[in-house]
């Protein structure tokens, strides 16, 4: 293991102020790090960063050793220092890449059920943690169109009878209990900067050959238009409740619907989906009052990108209707260069990470309270996606219970916030802070910028914010500390710091 023994420089990092914050109430459950405990009277908070005094920058650290958004304001250095072990990060803010759309999670039924299992004050602290300016400042969230595997039962909006014109379409009780009221509180906390996109899971049984919520199956050909109308009906019903959508995906995981899975889905082969978007969904949406909504296709694993996108976008209509591609997390061991290829072929389409979670299937136990590696996995994946043209990253369930549910098909997983209803508490996991190291400091409209690093021992993304602040997010997955020097075309001074082993650091300077 590398050590810093031979480094003899003194680092001029003087802490100036520790801003008034409400710190994490730490608790260990025996995993590699800690959770922060919130209840009805207490929850940790972090103020929105403001431009620091001239000659200084600000850094926020979270670490396996227990720091959470630990803030330090420190002086720049003009001293020319050299050390063999130092990692030099050279930023050039004049070279700009994609513009950031944002960060968030999903308003699943299970998220709503768990938040509603807390009393009003505690539930308020939870939503505040995600959406307010003292929380993660989420601005881009996914809303399932009816049930998912994170519901208490399988359902669609229109199961009861074969009603091709959908004249009796109405929202479900779940919309009014678990989604709409929570979305309104979130919108309020985020001062209306929250953008939503909607995704379907299964179609009504009567639209499918096998008359089941699950696959392997595809839609009946004569149901292509009713299924497109169903998307439109959903947008209309939510508009009646005062909720507007920014985006709409062509459906969650078409690949899942093609295999024997317990997850409710609609399977699509590429040529079927191409026909449906070209002849049904595209015209239906673009000729409606929701014509400017962003249409996002794929909404599935990385392996689907090369298999589906080229096939579907050969069709000029599909190419015109589609605004972006949605990416899921679970095959993230595939090379991210696939995303570069997608971007290079379709530079006017965005790529958005639309779903992620840890603790899936064999990765037991599903919930690991305080596990640092799961937070690291989030940060590593976000940096990989962002450095390959992805414009934002949206998590899956925002709150689950202590066993990672409810899920009516027993598909338990982990979540950045775990609710303990009987104790009236919730626990913020390392994943919450890992995502927050981006969502809180890299607002919508920021742009990724170029950097080079002299050694490959850190994972890094660099951005310029709409207020012209420069943001450097650094993940150290090594057990040892690493000294860094940040140089940028837009500052005369340099930044010297030690990036602690097993930590995530966000550095901002203006
Ligand atoms: C809530 O958390 C605070 C801070 O940890 C603690 O002082 C207080 O006793 C807790 N309240 C309840 C009702 O558990
Ligand atoms: C819609 O369906 C209902 C009941 O199935 C029927 O009464 C009605 O005429 C249909 N409307 C149209 C426009 O087809
Ligand atoms: C929105 O926030 C205001 C205070 O900022 C509060 O009075 C109001 O009740 C909130 N509305 C909702 C739906 O949460
Ligand atoms: C992907 O594209 C980015 C931006 O153009 C570039 O920095 C990176 O090296 C590319 N990566 C690969 C694996 O092609
Ligand atoms: C949840 O709260 C109950 C009741 O206070 C307690 O017995 C249980 O251990 C708590 N679970 C966790 C994970 O802290
Ligand atoms: C950011 O910098 C650009 C060019 O350097 C300038 O035109 C713009 O006004 C600045 N924006 C803010 C918010 O300071
Ligand atoms: C930044 O990149 C631009 C464009 O490639 C180049 O002209 C400029 O010299 C670079 N600046 C530095 C400090 O490397």
């Amino acid at each position: 293991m590398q050590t810093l023994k031979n480094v003899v420089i003194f680092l001029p990092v003087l802490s100036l102020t520790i801003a008034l914050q409400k710190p994490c109430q730490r608790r260990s459950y025996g995993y590699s790090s800690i959770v922060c405990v919130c209840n009805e009277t207490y929850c940790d908070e972090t103020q929105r960063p403001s431009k620091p005094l001239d000659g200084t920058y600000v850094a926020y650290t979270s670490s396996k050793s227990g720091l959470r958004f630990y803030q330090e304001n420190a002086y720049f250095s003009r001293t020319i220092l050299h050390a063999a072990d130092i990692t030099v990060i050279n930023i050039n803010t004049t070279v700009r890449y994609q513009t950031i759309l944002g960060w968030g999670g999903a308003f699943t039924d299970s998220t709503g059920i768990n938040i509603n299992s807390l009393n009003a004050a505690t539930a308020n602290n939870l939503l505040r943690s995600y959406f307010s300016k003292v929380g993660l400042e989420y601005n881009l969230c996914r809303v399932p169109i009816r049930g998912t595997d994170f519901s208490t039962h399988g359902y669609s909006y229109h199961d009861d009878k074969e009603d091709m014109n959908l004249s009796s379409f109405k929202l479900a009780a779940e919309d009014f209990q678990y989604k709409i009221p929570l979305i309104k509180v979130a919108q309020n906390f985020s001062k209306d900067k929250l953008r939503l996109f909607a995704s379907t899971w299964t179609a009504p049984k009567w639209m499918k050959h096998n008359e089941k919520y699950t696959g392997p199956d595809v839609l009946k050909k004569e149901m292509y238009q009713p299924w497109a109308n169903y998307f439109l009906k959903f947008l209309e019903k939510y508009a009646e409740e005062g909720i507007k959508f920014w985006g709409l995906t062509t459906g969650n995981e078409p690949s899942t619907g093609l295999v024997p899975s317990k997850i409710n889905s609609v399977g699509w082969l590429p040529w079927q989906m191409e026909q449906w978007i070209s002849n049904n969904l595209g015209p239906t949406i673009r000729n409606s009052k929701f014509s400017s909504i962003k249409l996002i296709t794929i909404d599935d694993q990385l392996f689907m990108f090369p298999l589906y996108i080229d096939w579907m976008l050969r069709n000029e209509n599909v190419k015109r209707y589609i605004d972006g591609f949605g990416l899921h997390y679970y095959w993230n061991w595939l090379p991210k260069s696939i995303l570069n290829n997608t971007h290079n072929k379709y530079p006017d389409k965005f790529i958005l990470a639309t779903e992620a979670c840890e603790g899936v299937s064999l990765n037991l136990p599903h919930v690991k309270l305080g596990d640092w590696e799961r937070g690291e996995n989030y940060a590593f994946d976000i940096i990989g996606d962002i450095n390959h043209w992805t414009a934002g990253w949206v998590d899956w369930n925002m709150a689950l219970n202590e066993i990672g549910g409810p899920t009516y098909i027993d598909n338990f997983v982990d979540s950045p916030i775990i609710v303990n209803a009987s104790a009236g508490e919730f626990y913020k996991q390392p994943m919450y802070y890992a995502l927050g190291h981006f969502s809180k400091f890299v607002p919508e409209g920021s742009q990724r910028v170029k950097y080079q690093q002299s050694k490959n021992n850190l994972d890094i993304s660099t951005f310029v914010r709409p207020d012209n602040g420069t943001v450097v997010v650094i993940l150290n997955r090594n057990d040892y500390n690493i000294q860094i020097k940040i140089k940028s075309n837009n500052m005369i001074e340099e930044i010297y710091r030690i990036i602690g082993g097993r930590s995530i650091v966000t550095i901002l300077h203006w």
Side-chain angles (χ1 to χ4, degrees):
M1 189 187 291
Q2 189 183 353
T3 68
L4 294 173
K5 263 199 299 265
N6 55 341
V7 177
V8 291
I9 61 172
F10 174 75
L11 294 177
V13 177
L14 293 181
S15 218
L16 292 176
T17 54
I18 302 295
L20 283 177
Q21 297 197 2
K22 286 171 78 177
C24 166
Q25 289 295 321
R26 298 186 177 92
R27 188 182 293 167
S28 168
Y29 283 94
Y31 290 103
S32 55
S33 189
I34 51 100
V35 297
C36 301
V37 182
C38 294
N39 62 20
E40 81 181 326
T41 57
Y42 192 89
C43 198
D44 56 291
E45 289 180 355
T46 303
Q47 300 298 322
R48 187 177 282 177
S50 52
K51 198 174 163 179
L53 295 172
D54 282 351
T56 71
Y57 66 92
V58 58
Y60 295 84
T61 302
S62 301
S63 65
K64 184 178 176 182
S65 62
L67 299 178
R68 294 293 180 264
F69 288 160
Y70 177 75
Q71 182 188 338
E72 286 170 285
N73 289 55
Y75 292 110
F76 292 122
S77 170
R78 287 167 193 265
T79 325
I80 310 298
L81 297 170
H82 297 284
D85 276 357
I86 215 158
T87 298
V88 181
I89 301 165
N90 237 312
I91 301 172
N92 189 338
T93 61
T94 64
V95 183
R96 305 234 168 165
Y97 304 104
Q98 77 273 26
T99 299
I100 298 302
L101 291 170
W103 321 90
F107 285 96
T108 58
D109 286 349
S110 298
T111 297
I113 290 167
N114 286 309
I115 294 175
N116 289 352
S117 73
L118 296 164
N119 70 22
T122 316
N124 205 51
N125 274 344
L126 198 160
L127 286 165
R128 203 156 157 264
S129 295
Y130 276 128
F131 295 99
S132 79
K133 68 178 202 291
V134 296
L136 297 193
E137 309 198 39
Y138 275 8
N139 74 306
L140 185 59
C141 284
R142 189 172 183 218
V143 181
I145 297 179
R146 88 207 159 271
T148 74
D149 40 330
F150 286 87
S151 296
T152 55
H153 61 114
Y155 65 99
S156 83
Y157 285 129
H158 216 63
D159 289 328
D160 40 351
K161 61 173 178 240
E162 210 160 312
D163 172 18
M164 297 267 281
N165 66 25
L166 307 177
S167 55
S168 59
F169 184 103
K170 59 179 195 309
L171 296 180
E174 281 84 352
D175 291 288
F176 296 103
Q177 287 167 8
Y178 308 140
K179 295 178 187 169
I180 293 166
L182 305 189
I183 290 169
K184 292 204 164 163
V185 175
Q187 282 175 328
N188 207 20
F189 273 130
S190 74
K191 301 278 175 257
D192 296 321
K193 71 172 182 178
L194 179 61
R195 288 174 163 184
L196 302 169
F197 64 98
S199 301
T200 53
W201 266 251
T202 182
K205 289 179 177 178
W206 49 268
M207 289 195 188
K208 300 167 80 178
H209 294 99
N210 68 357
E211 310 224 322
K212 287 185 186 167
Y213 292 136
T214 54
D217 195 33
V218 292
L219 219 59
K220 291 178 185 165
K221 189 87 208 280
E222 66 270 27
M223 296 301 173
Y224 279 21
Q225 189 54 42
W227 183 227
N229 294 343
Y230 187 100
F231 284 56
L232 189 59
K233 285 278 184 194
F234 174 84
L235 297 176
E236 285 168 358
K237 292 293 176 192
Y238 263 63
E240 284 169 19
E241 300 301 323
I243 294 175
K244 286 199 198 105
F245 283 87
W246 163 85
L248 181 67
T249 80
T250 51
N252 178 67
E253 297 190 358
S255 71
T256 302
L258 296 175
V259 298
S261 159
K262 288 193 286 181
I263 298 177
N264 29 16
S265 359
V266 171
W268 288 107
L269 292 162
W271 47 91
Q272 297 169 332
M273 199 178 216
E274 174 217 319
Q275 289 300 307
W276 174 68
I277 295 171
S278 176
N279 300 333
N280 308 104
L281 185 71
T284 300
I285 296 297
R286 295 301 182 223
N287 294 325
S288 75
K289 65 177 170 181
F290 308 103
S291 59
S292 63
I293 203 166
K294 303 290 181 203
L295 274 182
I296 303 166
T297 194
I298 308 300
D299 202 12
D300 205 332
Q301 318 304 337
L302 190 49
F303 75 81
M304 294 287 278
F305 276 57
L307 294 180
Y308 276 59
I309 292 175
D310 283 348
W311 184 287
M312 297 201 302
L313 271 69
R314 289 183 322 183
N315 181 322
E316 285 300 323
N317 291 336
V318 175
K319 196 169 179 179
R320 200 172 67 245
Y321 293 136
I322 293 299
D323 296 292
F325 308 117
L327 170 67
H328 289 197
Y329 179 75
Y330 315 100
W331 287 54
N332 66 0
W333 42 269
L334 287 175
K336 301 269 189 199
S337 57
I338 294 171
L339 298 175
N340 272 17
N341 298 342
T342 301
H343 169 80
N344 292 339
K345 278 190 179 163
Y346 309 101
D348 61 330
K349 313 293 181 200
F350 62 79
I351 301 169
L352 178 66
T354 49
E355 189 187 304
C357 67
E358 282 283 318
V360 295
S361 57
L362 300 175
N363 196 356
L364 294 167
H366 298 295
V367 174
K368 284 187 175 179
L369 285 171
D371 187 74
W372 183 252
E373 288 69 26
R374 289 186 176 179
E376 240 170 27
N377 291 344
Y378 265 31
F380 182 68
D381 188 74
I382 294 170
I383 289 172
D385 283 352
I386 291 296
N387 288 352
H388 294 85
W389 295 102
T390 302
W393 206 89
V394 179
D395 191 26
W396 186 214
N397 298 283
M398 287 189 280
L400 290 176
N401 65 22
E402 290 169 77
I403 57 166
T407 155
Y408 78 101
I409 59 162
D410 292 347
N411 188 23
F412 300 101
V413 300
D414 213 339
S415 170
I417 288 185
I418 296 295
V419 166
N420 185 344
S422 54
E425 293 175 340
F426 61 92
Y427 312 122
K428 293 181 180 173
Q429 301 241 57
M431 291 178 281
Y432 170 95
Y433 298 91
L435 185 37
H437 270 276
F438 299 85
S439 67
K440 184 153 187 70
F441 307 108
V442 185
E444 179 194 349
S446 299
Q447 274 182 292
R448 177 167 71 94
V449 297
K450 185 176 178 176
Y451 76 89
Q452 285 173 308
Q453 61 193 100
S454 64
K455 287 170 184 273
N456 233 353
N457 49 8
L458 296 167
D459 300 294
I460 301 168
S461 279
T462 52
F463 308 86
V464 169
R465 295 159 43 110
D467 66 4
N468 285 343
T470 302
V471 189
V472 187
V473 187
I474 303 174
L475 167 67
N476 184 359
R477 291 184 295 151
N478 303 291
D479 286 320
Y480 48 86
N481 298 345
I482 291 175
Q483 284 193 66
I484 61 156
K485 173 165 90 170
I486 299 176
K487 295 164 62 164
S488 176
N489 62 302
N490 66 356
M491 64 178 177
I492 303 158
E493 302 93 338
E494 294 174 345
I495 292 173
Y496 287 86
R497 282 193 76 78
I498 291 177
I499 304 297
R502 311 302 294 273
S503 70
I504 308 170
V505 184
T506 298
I507 295 170
L508 295 105
H509 72 83
W510 273 263

